[in-house]
């Protein structure tokens, strides 16, 4: 199995002043062939996202919405919910706890699946890693 997105990302724009202004309108899944087995991240209807949390200063280079949009939604979900589903060879699933570091790596890998260029992908990965290091002390 190769990591993949199989459904389109369908969102609803929320007319609100909150930072998370988009809501998932149709179930959305990212399948991952990494981390020692097959994983899937299932994002339910109603999950809210702001796409990529890029500081406004950098929007000309990396806007919050781009080719990496699906990867950003998956990353938001993993950072908030901290789990994916591990699928065995018989199709059974078990909860797999995802660390912040793994969520960041999944974000980078998902961007590669989406065809985001190596330089932009690595800059965005570095950004989320730095944010993690300085915000989540563990």
């Amino acid at each position: 199995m190769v990591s993949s997105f199989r459904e389109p990302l369908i969102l609803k724009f929320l007319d609100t002043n909150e930072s998370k202004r988009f809501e998932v309108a149709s179930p959305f899944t990212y399948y991952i062939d990494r981390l020692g087995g097959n994983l899937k991240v299932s994002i339910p209807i109603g999950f809210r996202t702001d796409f990529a949390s890029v500081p406004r200063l950098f929007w000309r280079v990396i806007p919050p919405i781009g080719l990496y949009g699906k990867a950003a939604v998956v990353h938001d979900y993993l950072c908030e919910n901290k789990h994916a589903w591990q699928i065995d060879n018989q199709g059974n699933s078990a909860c797999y706890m995802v660390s912040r570091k793994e969520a960041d790596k999944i974000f980078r890998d998902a961007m590669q699946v989406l065809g985001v260029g190596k330089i932009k992908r690595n800059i965005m990965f570095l950004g989320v890693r730095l944010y993690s290091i300085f915000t989540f002390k563990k």
Side-chain angles (χ1 to χ4, degrees):
M1 181 172 148
V2 176
S3 297
S4 64
F5 291 95
R6 298 183 190 165
E7 303 97 8
L9 174 59
I10 301 172
L11 299 168
K12 177 171 65 172
F13 176 74
L14 303 173
D15 191 15
T16 178
N17 289 331
E18 295 177 31
S19 63
K20 296 195 175 192
R21 302 185 70 182
F22 298 92
E23 185 175 279
V24 173
S26 180
F28 173 66
T29 305
Y30 178 51
Y31 297 88
I32 308 162
D33 184 26
R34 288 188 170 66
L35 302 175
N38 294 322
L39 297 176
K40 72 176 184 176
V41 181
S42 299
I43 301 167
I45 293 172
F47 177 73
R48 291 185 176 189
T49 183
D50 63 351
F51 282 101
S53 303
V54 178
R56 188 175 292 273
L57 173 68
F58 302 111
W59 280 11
R60 285 188 179 254
V61 180
I62 301 175
I65 299 171
L67 181 58
Y68 39 81
K70 288 180 177 181
V73 174
V74 168
H75 186 254
D76 280 356
Y77 182 83
L78 289 173
C79 289
E80 284 185 30
N81 295 282
K82 299 172 181 50
H83 76 273
W85 296 99
Q86 184 140 27
I87 313 299
D88 67 17
N89 292 334
Q90 289 77 37
N92 301 313
S93 61
C95 188
Y96 177 88
M97 299 311 293
V98 177
S99 69
R100 177 60 194 241
K101 187 174 186 177
E102 286 174 319
D104 294 348
K105 287 180 180 180
I106 290 168
F107 175 56
R108 181 183 57 198
D109 292 341
M111 286 190 291
Q112 183 174 359
V113 166
L114 293 167
V116 175
K118 187 174 183 175
I119 293 171
K120 185 175 280 190
R121 184 171 69 235
N122 286 327
I123 288 170
M124 293 181 76
F125 174 71
L126 180 61
V128 296
R129 286 307 306 141
L130 288 172
Y131 179 79
S132 297
I133 291 166
F134 292 111
T135 306
F136 300 99
K137 307 220 188 285
K138 288 190 176 186

